[in-house]
Amino acid sequence: MFCYQCEQTSQSTGCTAFGVCGKDPETAALQDLLIELCKQISVKALEARAAGKTTRDADLYVMEGLFTTVTNVNFDPKDIAGIISRGAQVLKDLGGEFELAGDMDGLISQGEKVGIESRMNTLGEDVTGLQELIIYGLKGTAAYADHAFVLEKEDDSVFAFFHEAMAFLLNPAPTVDELVALTLKVGEVNLTVMALLDSANTGTYGHPVPTPVRITPVKGKAILISGHDLKDLDLLLKQTEGKGINIYTHGEMLPCHGYPELKKYKHLVGNYGGAWQDQRAEFEAFPGSILMTTNCIQKPKENYKARIFTCGLVQWPGVQHIDNGDYTPVIEAALEADGFAETEEEKTILTGFGHNAVLGVAPQIIDAVKSGDLKHFFLVGGCDGAKPGRNYYTEFAEAVPDDCAILTLACGKFRFNKLDFGDIGGIPRLIDMGQCNDAYSAIQVAVALAGAFECDVNDLPLSMILSWYEQKAICILLSLLHLGIKDIKVGPTLPAFITPTVLQVLVDNFNIAPVTTVEEDMKQCLGA
């Protein structure tokens, strides 16, 4: 195998024997084959669209196929083989053909022939790296598009772009300029998708409001829900109402407490644990059942494997999957488990600062900036991970001067969101804007502030210190680059697929840079 799509890839160069994420070589090969099949489907879908034909099956298949191969989503080779078989039929219905091997070993062999290394040998590392940058951006965008689709929000132009981009990636001789242009186009389309998802979430569950969230247990039976999908939480809350079971969020589900239509449930009692990479210890200690939605799953330990469940596109071999929205098995497992024996002293953290909430106090923020009470904003957030070096983000947040505010989002905030940062004239110094996709909220706030101060976003007293792990972070970065935002610092390491040549392009055009030391980066941000 060869995979370098996540930040934790082995030796910061690529996983070649077994994925750091837990992905085995067989699954890796099947995922490569699935992506190749999606490209072939997109070619035929473009032809069909040009002829005025509908391509609904192809649209949904490519979106879900891309999301399925995001890091920490589907680790089940049998399930992926089934998805590939279904894709071959989608292609056939479009007039194409993809002759699949008749057994698992044959499919794996086919996947090995269309992986990254095969293109590196013919196209070189720079072109292949740019192709993968596009693929990973598309994967993240597809994940957000799928989240929106679940809530019945979609945009046909997004499906059309998926096909356009995937078909282009079959070009045998792409130029660097063409690939760079397509990379920025991915960022543009992802911005559209994030707006679509924001509309889906807020249109269904209301605009988030600042909300203190309990982070200590309450006595009683318990279910923990992790991932990103708000609808899964909504269904779980409805199905558990009145059953004497408390619901806790985990990881990227923390911001759900700010949505009015979710926080109204009395048995949504708090958040348990931190970011995704700590789940094996946290899930082992959790005395209830666990539901994994979207991406973030790690290999379950045997002592909780019987009480963890997956839904949506998430799969792990041997873990019970729920594909009909009926969470009865999760509820039964929770009732059989011990639950929390005691209620601990209440401690809380604050979430729910979406763009609507922040812009609602924009005049107060603007006045604080003009008076000099609030001197600088730092967006410190993104994906968290287990690789050494991520303590940088805790240390950076702690080093932010008292007259500056910290915007944060995604699971990177768990590095420091339990610390007390106080406030500036009633404005919290730590402003949790939500999930990774809520980078859209941060962008809207930045654009609004730039308008208020009659300047460009790059001229605002705003610095972006981002952490990345998987493909959702990549598409957000591409959206920021599409908007022309410069001087972004990225860490803890740069993506392995960004070669020195590609990095130089990003430096020349956007002054993007890896994080260095807290002291040096803080000095640069503040112009000291």
Side-chain angles (χ1 to χ4, degrees), residues 426-464:
I427 302 169
R429 287 189 60 234
L430 181 65
I431 301 173
D432 179 3
M433 305 199 75
Q435 296 182 336
C436 53
N437 54 280
D438 290 313
Y440 177 77
S441 280
I443 290 168
Q444 295 308 303
V445 168
V447 170
L449 288 175
F453 289 110
E454 298 182 345
C455 68
D456 184 84
V457 170
N458 289 307
D459 296 324
L460 286 171
L462 169 66
S463 300
M464 296 192 179

Side-chain angles (χ1 to χ4, degrees), residues 376 378 392-393 396 399 463-466 487-491 513-528:
H376 204 89
F378 292 90
Y392 166 93
Y393 295 93
F396 191 96
S463 300
M464 296 192 179
I465 315 295
L466 306 181
D487 300 317
I488 300 169
K489 296 188 182 299
V490 179
V515 297
T516 58
T517 66
V518 169
E519 294 75 17
E520 183 60 31
D521 291 344
M522 184 68 72
K523 185 186 300 183
Q524 287 186 14
C525 291
L526 295 175

Side-chain angles (χ1 to χ4, degrees), residues 19 29 32 112 124 129 145 151 154 172 192 194 232 238 240 282 290 340 406 478 483:
D32 287 340
E112 289 171 346
L151 292 175
E154 58 183 280
T192 297
M194 286 198 297
D232 289 325
K238 288 174 180 174
T240 51
E282 292 172 350
I290 303 147
F340 286 104
I406 304 167
L478 297 184
L483 291 170

Side-chain angles (χ1 to χ4, degrees), residues 144 147 190-191 193-195 197-202 206-208 228 230 252-256 258-259 351-356 358 379 382 407-411 413 431-446 472 476 480:
Y144 292 142
H147 294 334
N190 183 61
L191 195 60
V193 172
M194 286 198 297
L197 179 54
D198 177 78
S199 174
N201 286 339
T202 58
H207 282 282
H228 301 76
L230 274 61
E252 286 269 57
M253 298 297 277
L254 165 64
C256 295
Y259 287 89
T351 191
F353 290 93
H355 58 89
N356 193 64
V358 175
L379 176 57
L407 306 174
T408 191
L409 46 81
C411 59
K413 62 175 166 274
I431 301 173
D432 179 3
M433 305 199 75
Q435 296 182 336
C436 53
N437 54 280
D438 290 313
Y440 177 77
S441 280
I443 290 168
Q444 295 308 303
V445 168
K472 288 180 177 179
I476 290 171
L480 295 174

